[in-house]
C-alpha cells in the first residue's frame, strides 16, 4: 500500500498547519495516497529570516528521514523551501517545495508572475531563490504586504493588504498571475482572485498536487537516483 | 458533476492517442474527474513541422470550443503545444500543453534538463519555445534521436536510440533529468530511467496531472479571467 | 529577371495593405526588385488574438507556396509574424517577419526599445515572442495604446494616444527607440518622432528593406538550406 | 541630392578596403545613394587588439566628422565596431557597425549563430560585445580560425580553415547560421555556404544594406536625436 | 582599536583551517587588522552535501554572534557559503563568503570562469548558487575532480587531477580563469597557474582581501543597515 | 621591492585626482605597496562622452606602458573604464577598472544595485557595459543626477541631488546598495549612506583595494598570461 504524502510545516504554529491542511481537502481522494500534515515542534513560530530558514532546514531533513519508510512523498510547506535540496539528497522519495512548485505553476497560468511576500525582509531572499531557479525573466515583482505576524491574525485587514499590493503588482508591474508568498494563506486565494480578476496560486496546494502526481506516476527527484 | 479532462492529440494517429491514453491509467481515480483522449481526425499523421503546428492549432481551438461545455480542463498533447495560447484565450477552462508542463516539471526534478527530440528539424522550434518560456538557463541540450516515423514503430530500436542520445545529454551536456520530446512515448520512460539512472519525464502524464490538480483546486488559466 | 518581394498582409483589410504599401515607396527603385503587397482575403479584418495568428499562419504559408516561383523574397506584415517559421521551412526564398525585423533593427538604433501595442491582449503574445528572440534584456516595455479598431480610424486621436504612451515608454521605462507594434501605421512614424524626439521604427519598412538586401546579396534563410 | 553612404575601413590596408568595396557592388543602384569606401591611413594594417580598437575609434569619429556634411550615413567596417557609439553621439547621420549589424541579421536567418573569428585573442573581445548587445542566448560559439595576417593572404588555405571551423560550429555547437568575423572576407561567403549548407553572412554587406535602408527611410540613430 | 577579521572554517578539520590560514600570510600587515582563523568544532570533517551546508549554517551564525563584539569582519570559508546571508542579517559587520567573493573576483580576472569542484555531487549546488548570483552567462563550466576526501590527502595526485580538469575547462569550455572550489587549497594555486598558463583564484584569499578592504573603508553589508 | 599601485585619472582635472587620492588614505599601509595617483594631462577636463572614453583609452595604455617597469598594478579611475581591456592585453601587471570593480563589489554588499550617474548621456554607455559584464539581472537602475560639471563644484547641492536620486533608486527600483558612478566622489559616500540607510560604494576605493590584494597575492589578470 502506498504511504501518505507528508506535508511538513517547518514552523511550530499548529494553526498554520491546520489552515494549510484544510486547504488540501479537495486533493484528498478515496484512491489515496493520504495527505498528512506535520508541524515542526522545534521550529520558530514563523520562518521570517534567513537564519530561521537555515535552522529549520535541519529539522526538515530529520523529519524526512524519520518518516521516509512510511511516506510516499514529501512537501516542504514554507515559502523559503528550507531543506528542500538537502531532503532530495537524503531520500529517493520525491520532495517538493512550495515556493519552487508555486512559482513554476505560475509560469503556465500567466505570463509574468507577482509574489505577495509577507515581510520586506523576505524579498531579497525570494529574489535570490527566483534567480537560482532561472525564471527571473518571468517575474513581474515581489512585494511585501508588510504586516507583522500579529497583524496577520486580523483576516480582513490581511485581505485588504493582499488586495492593495496585488493591484500594484497587476497594474504597475504587469503581473497576470500571483503567488501567495507564504504557507497557510489558501483561504485568501478565492476572495483575492475575485477582487483582482487574475489567477492567484496557493503554493501549498500546487506543491501537494505535484507530489500526488509524482507518487501516482512513480517519479523520483533526480539527484538521488544518480548515486543510487 | 465535474466534466472530464480532455486530452487532445492534435495528430490523426489513433495509435498515438491510445498509447498516451494508456499511460494515463495511474491518474484515473474513482473520485474523478475522468480523463478522455481525443484524436484530431483532420491532423497530419504526425506533427513534424512548424506548418503542421500552425495548422493543427486551429483544430485544437475548435475542439476546445466544441467540448468546452462538458469539459473541466484541456491538455494539448503534442510537444509543440499547438494552439495552447489561443485555447487559453478561447476558454476559461484551464488548458495545459505537454511541452510547457513537461519542461516546467523537469525544473523541480533536476538541475539541468535535456530534451529528447524526434527529428533534428524540431530542435530550432523547441529552442524558440524554451526561450519564450524564459527557462533556457536550465536547459542542458535538446538533441534529436533522428528516427523517421516509420522507424519509431520499431520499439527496441527506438529505446536504443533514446538511450544513446540520453547518455550524451547526461554525460556531455550535464543533464540530470530528461523530457521525452513527443507524446505517446510513456512506455519508454521506465526502461530509459532504468538504463540511465536519471529521472525521465513523460510530458503528457505531468500535463494531465497538472490539469487534474487545477480542476480539483478550481484554478483557471490567467488571460481569460481578466477580460471576463 | 529577379522576381518581386511579396509583402503579405495576413488580414483582409485592403486599407491596411494600401497604407503599408504606400509607406514602401521610398524603397521602390528602378533597379528593382519590385515590391508587391497582397491582402489575405481569408483573414480576419485585424489580427487581434492568438487564434487569429494561428489561423492566418496557414494562409501565409499557402500564399508563400502559391507565389514562390515568381517571388524573390517574402515579408509577413503583421506584428505577430504569423506563419514566419513555417514559411521559412516551406521555401528557400528569404522570409522576414515585421516584428522580428522591427525589433532587431531597434537594437542598432537605440539602447532599450519600447513597443507600442494596439490592444492590451497583445502584450503577453509580444512578450512571449520577445523572449523567444532572446532580446528581452533590451526591452524597455511593451504597452498598449488601448484603442479599438474602430477608434484607430480616427487618425488624430490615434496619434495622441501613440504620443501619450510613447512618452511613458521614454520617460518611465527608459526607451530611446520605439517600434510601432502594428502594420500599416507608417504614417504616424514621422510626426511621432517629431513629438517624442526619439527614433520611431515602422517595422514593415525595415522588414522590406531587409528582404530587398537579402535578394540583392543572394542570402537565404537558414533552415531550408540545410535539408536542401 | 542625397550624399553617399561612407564605409570606413579603420585599418590602413587598401587591399581590405578594395575587397570589401567590391563585395558591395550588388548594393550599388542607379537610384543611389552611392557607396564610398575609405581607408584609415593612420590605422594599423589590421585591427587585432583591443588597443587597436580603442586607437582607431578616434580616427573613425574624426573621419565621420570630416565627411558629415556630404555623407548620408556611415558604416564602420571592422568586426570590433571601433568608435561606433562615439560616432553615433557625434553625428545625427545613421551609423552602423558591421559586427552589430552582422550578428543582428544572423538572428533572423537562423536559430543560433556562430562567429568565425580570425585570432583567438579576438574571442574575449567578441564575447564582451555579444553580451553588451544582450544576444548571448542566441550564440552557438565564437571560434578562431587561427591564421596570422600573413597566412590570410593564402586564400585557399583560409577557405579550408573557415570550412573546418565552420563545421565545428555547425556540428558541435549547433550553429545554423555563421557570421564572418572580419571585414573584407565576402569572397569566402558563397563557397563557404556551398560547403557547409548553412547561411553565411558577410557583415559588411548587411551593415551597408541597413545603412542604405536607413537613408531611404529617413531614419536616424537614436542617441543624437534626443539631445537635438 | 580595530578588531580582527575572523575567518570561519565551517568544517571541523583543523588541518584545513591551518592550510587556509597559512595562505593568508601575505595579507597580514603590521597596520592590521589581524586575521584570525577559527574551526567549527561541531562541523563535519568536510562540508560535502547540502545537508552539511544547511547544518553548519547555524554554527556559522552562532560563531558570528559570539565574536561580533571583538571582530571587525567575518569570512565564511567554505565554497558553499553556508550561513552567509543569515550572518549578514545577524550582524552589521561585513560578512563575505568565499564562493561569492571568489567567483566575483574571477569576473575581473578573465572572461569566462571555470570552477574546480571536488565532488560531482557539489556541482548542482554550485550551479544553483551561480544562478542566484546572476552571473551564469560568465560561467564556462563547473567540473568535479572526483577525489574522495581521503584521496585529497595525496597532494601530488590532487595536483594532477586539478591539472587534468583545468585543461578541460580551459580547452573545451573556454575558461580563461579558474576558481578553486574548496577552501584550504591555496597551495595548489601557483603550480596550477604554472601548468595551465591561466589565472587561478584561491577564493579564501580574495574573500579575506575583500573583508580587509571593507574594514579599512568602513563599509558594511547592506541588509542590516536598512533596518538599523 | 614592490612597486606602487598606480591610479590613473584619465581626465586632466588635478582636483579630481586629489579628491580621489585623499579617499585612498585608509588603504595606505606601512607595509606597502604605495598608492600613487596620476593625472592624464592630455585628457579632457571630464570624461563625459563615448568619444572621450575612446580617446583617453589610448592615453591610459600609454601611461600603463610608461610606468609598467616600476608599478605593481594599475587602476583606471574613470567610471567608463577607458582602456581597461587594452591595458590588460598590454601588461602582465593586474589592471582594475573602477566601474567593473565597483559594480562587482556591489553584488556582495546587496541584492540589487543602483548606479548614480552624473549625466543622462552616460546611462546608455553604463547599460552597455553592465550587460557586457553579464550582471544586468542584479541592476536595480542607473539614473543620472543631471548636474553639469560646473554645478558639481557646489558640494551641498550635489549631495542633495545624490540623495534625491538615491531615494528613487532605493524606493522605486528596489536598490539596496548604490555605486557612485564617477571617480572622485568618495567624500559623498558617508553622508549619503547616513541619509539613505543603505550601503554606498566609492568605486575607486574598492578597485584600489582589489589591486592591492592582487599585488599581495601575486595575482595577474588573465589574458596576458595565456600568450606569455
Amino acid at each position: 500500500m502506498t504511504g501518505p504524502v507528508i506535508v511538513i510545516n517547518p514552523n511550530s504554529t499548529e494553526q498554520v498547519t491546520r489552515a494549510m491542511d484544510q486547504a488540501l481537502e479537495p486533493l484528498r481522494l478515496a484512491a489515496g495516497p493520504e495527505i498528512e500534515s506535520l508541524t515542526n515542534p522545534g521550529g520558530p513560530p514563523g520562518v521570517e529570516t534567513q537564519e530561521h530558514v537555515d535552522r529549520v532546514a535541519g529539522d526538515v531533513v530529520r523529519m524526512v528521514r524519520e518518516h521516509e519508510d512510511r511516506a510516499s512523498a514529501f512537501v516542504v510547506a514554507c515559502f523559503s523551501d528550507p531543506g528542500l535540496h538537502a531532503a532530495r539528497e537524503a531520500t529517493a522519495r520525491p520532495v517538493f517545495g512550495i515556493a519552487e512548485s508555486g512559482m513554476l505553476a505560475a509560469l503556465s497560468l500567466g505570463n509574468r508572475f507577482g509574489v505577495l511576500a509577507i515581510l520586506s525582509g523576505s524579498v531579497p531572499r525570494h529574489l535570490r531563490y527566483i534567480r537560482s531557479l532561472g525564471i527571473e525573466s518571468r517575474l513581474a515583482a515581489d512585494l511585501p504586504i508588510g504586516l507583522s505576524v500579529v497583524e496577520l491574525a486580523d483576516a480582513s485587514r490581511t485581505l485588504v493588504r493582499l488586495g492593495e499590493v496585488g493591484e500594484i503588482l497587476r497594474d504597475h508591474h504587469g503581473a497576470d498571475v500571483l503567488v501567495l508568498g507564504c504557507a497557510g494563506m489558501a483561504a485568501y486565494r478565492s476572495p483575492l482572485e475575485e477582487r483582482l480578476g487574475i489567477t492567484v496560486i496557493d503554493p501549498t496546494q500546487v506543491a501537494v498536487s505535484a507530489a500526488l502526481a509524482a507518487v501516482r506516476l512513480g517519479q523520483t527527484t533526480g539527484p538521488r537516483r544518480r548515486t543510487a
Side-chain angles (χ1 to χ4, degrees), chain A:
Chain A
M1 212 201 92
T2 313
V5 168
I6 293 187
V7 183
I8 299 171
N9 170 16
N11 72 39
S12 61
T13 308
E14 289 284 357
Q15 204 172 337
V16 169
T17 314
R18 272 197 304 273
M20 168 181 115
D21 189 76
Q22 207 167 331
L24 302 173
E25 274 311 310
L27 300 173
R28 289 195 163 93
L29 305 176
E34 289 186 29
I35 302 166
E36 192 179 316
S37 300
L38 299 181
T39 304
N40 173 21
V47 173
E48 295 183 348
T49 65
Q50 182 68 50
E51 187 177 1
H52 289 161
V53 174
D54 293 342
R55 183 186 2 144
V56 301
D59 298 338
V60 165
V61 178
R62 211 170 308 119
M63 292 169 82
V64 164
R65 284 231 174 74
E66 191 183 333
H67 298 277
E68 191 182 9
D69 287 347
R70 67 182 194 89
S72 59
F74 295 93
V75 169
V76 182
C78 162
F79 202 73
S80 296
D81 288 352
L84 175 62
H85 288 287
R88 284 177 177 164
E89 288 174 12
T91 178
R93 309 276 185 226
V95 189
F96 292 88
I98 66 167
E100 184 184 71
S101 291
M103 294 191 289
L104 292 177
L107 301 191
S108 62
L109 295 171
N111 195 290
R112 290 201 291 193
F113 68 100
V115 176
L116 288 154
I118 300 307
L119 300 166
S120 71
S122 311
V123 173
R125 195 165 68 241
H126 293 174
L127 295 180
R128 289 194 295 269
Y129 194 53
I130 288 165
R131 287 194 304 262
S132 85
L133 290 170
I135 58 172
E136 66 273 18
S137 71
R138 300 289 296 275
L139 177 70
D142 185 315
L143 296 179
I145 59 170
L147 292 184
S148 70
V149 176
V150 174
E151 294 169 316
L152 273 180
D154 179 345
S156 66
R157 188 169 171 205
T158 301
L159 184 55
V160 167
R161 281 300 293 149
L162 287 169
E164 288 168 352
V165 177
E167 272 177 10
I168 295 174
L169 288 167
R170 185 193 62 191
D171 298 339
H172 296 202
H173 298 275
D176 54 10
V177 56
L178 300 182
V179 183
L180 294 166
C182 196
M185 301 188 78
Y188 299 108
R189 188 170 80 81
S190 185
L192 198 57
E193 277 195 346
E194 207 65 32
R195 170 164 172 188
L196 298 172
I198 56 174
T199 301
V200 178
I201 291 173
D202 174 61
T204 313
Q205 289 180 327
V206 300
V208 172
S209 300
L212 290 167
V215 172
R216 287 176 192 135
L217 298 171
Q219 278 171 344
T220 59
T221 41
R224 179 57 176 282
R225 285 197 71 84
R226 200 173 208 166
T227 59

